[in-house]
C-alpha cells in the first residue's frame, strides 16, 4: 500500500468546501479551486470570518500560503 | 480537464481592480499591474487604507510579497 | 547500528494517534495520515483544543508544517 | 504584449524619488540608487521618518529587503 | 587538528540526556534519539516543562527544529 | 552606464564608519570590516547603543544579517 | 589585499571566549568550539545570563543560528 502525502488530502478536497484558518485569526471558507506546494490557495465563493463572525463575502480570494495554519474540508 | 494553479487566479485579475491585505493591517486597492512567484505585487492607481479608512492615494506601489495575506479581485 | 533520523519517529506513528501542538497555542489530536519533509501534516478524526478545552471535531485536517512546535504519539 | 514584472516598476523608479515603508514603522525617502531580487535597496539623500515626523537626514542608506513592506515612487 | 562542527556536539549527545529550550518558553528533557540538519529533534522518555515546572511526561516527542533555541547535554 | 547593486554601496563603506540598526532596537557603530550576501556584518571598534544611549564598547562584533534593518555610512 | 568575510572573524575567535546574544534576550558566554554557515554555534564552559544576571552554568551548549543577534569576542 502506497503511503499518502499531505497534498493528497488537499487534492481530494478540490472543488469542495473547505475552511482555511490564518495566522492573523481570520478564517476563510469557500470552494477550493487551487493550491500549490507553498500552500498558496485560491477559494471561490469565499466568505471571511473574524472571531466567528461573517465580515464579508469576497468571491474569489488568493491566500498566501505562509499565512495558513490549517485547511479542513467541511 | 487541467487543474488550475493559484497564480492562474492572479493572472486573470491582471489589469483589473484588486484588494490586497497586508500582515500589518494595511489594505491597498488598485489595478493589478504585475506579480511574481514570491507574490511581489505592483498596483497602479493605488489607495492605502488602515482600519477601513482611506489614508492616501499613492499612484504606483510595489508591495513585497511576504507582507501579503490575501489578494482578491473586486 | 544505523542512526535513526527524526522523520523515522513520525513514520512509526503513521496511522496511530498523535498530538500536534501549534505555535498559536492550538492543539490537534487525531490519527496521523500523512506528513512530508516540511512537516506538513494530515490528521484524521481530528479534534481541536485551545487551553486544554475541546473546541470542535473537524474530521480531516491539513496542518501547515511551519506552524508546528511538537508532535507526540499518544 | 509582454507582461510586466514587479521589478520593472522598481527599474522605472531608479534615480527617482521613492518612499520606502518598513515593517518596524520607519519610512525612508530618497533617490533610488540600487535594488536586487531580495529587494535589498539603497537610497541616496535619504531621510528617516517615524510617525510622520522627520527623525534625521542620513545620506546613503542600505535597507535590508526583508524589512520592506512597500516602495512607492513619489 | 580538524575543526569541529556544531552537529558534532549533537552527535556526541546521541542517546544521552539533553535539555531542549524552545522559542515559546517550553523546555523538553529526555534522551536524544535523532536530529537532522534542520535541527528537527526526537527525544525519548521526554518531560515537558514550563516556567521550571513539570507539565507532563510525554514519552517520545518530535520537536520541529525552527522552534529550538538551545540544546544542552545534561 | 552600468547599474549599481545594493552591495556596491556596502563595498564603498568598507573600512569606513557605519551605523547598523537592528530589529530589536539596538544600534551598532564601528568600522565596517566585512559583510556577505546574507548581510552578516563585522564591525571593528564597535559601540552598542539602545534608545540613543551608549551601552558598551565591544571591540569586534559579528552581527547576524537577518537582524539588520539598515546600514548607513556615517 | 584580500577582503575579509564575516565568518573569518568567527574563525579567529575559535577556542576563545565569546559572548553570544539571542533574540529572546538571553546571553551565553563560553569558549567558541564550533559554528557553521547558519551560525549554529557551540560553546564550552557556557554560562547563561538574562537581564545581566547569571542564571546557570551549562557546560556545553548548542545554539541554533537563527536565534543569534550578535557574537563578540571578549
Amino acid at each position: 500500500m502506497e503511503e499518502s502525502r499531505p497534498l493528497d488530502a488537499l487534492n481530494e478536497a478540490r472543488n469542495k468546501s473547505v475552511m482555511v484558518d490564518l495566522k492573523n485569526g481570520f478564517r476563510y471558507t469557500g470552494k477550493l479551486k487551487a493550491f500549490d506546494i507553498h500552500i498558496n490557495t485560491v477559494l471561490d465563493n469565499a466568505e471571511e470570518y473574524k472571531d466567528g463572525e461573517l465580515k464579508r463575502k469576497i468571491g474569489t480570494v488568493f491566500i498566501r500560503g505562509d499565512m495558513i495554519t490549517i485547511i479542513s474540508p467541511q
Side-chain angles (χ1 to χ4, degrees), chain A:
Chain A
M1 193 188 86
E2 201 176 321
E3 285 173 349
S4 74
R5 295 158 302 178
L7 298 199
D8 293 343
L10 296 185
N11 244 328
E12 287 168 23
R14 211 184 270 267
N15 291 312
K16 297 181 184 155
S17 286
V18 297
M19 181 194 72
V20 182
D21 284 0
L22 267 57
K23 293 179 181 173
N24 58 5
F26 279 89
R27 169 174 297 170
Y28 296 90
T29 61
K31 190 163 72 166
L32 181 61
K33 290 304 288 178
F35 63 89
D36 62 22
I37 58 167
H38 308 291
I39 322 300
N40 293 321
T41 299
V42 174
L43 303 184
D44 270 357
N45 303 319
E47 295 185 337
E48 181 184 86
Y49 294 83
K50 186 73 188 279
D51 301 324
E53 190 185 334
L54 176 62
K55 305 303 282 185
R56 51 180 176 157
K57 295 170 182 273
I58 49 174
T60 296
V61 65
F62 170 97
I63 305 171
R64 201 171 189 273
D66 80 320
M67 279 304 288
I68 292 175
T69 66
I70 64 163
I71 300 175
S72 182
Q74 289 192 298

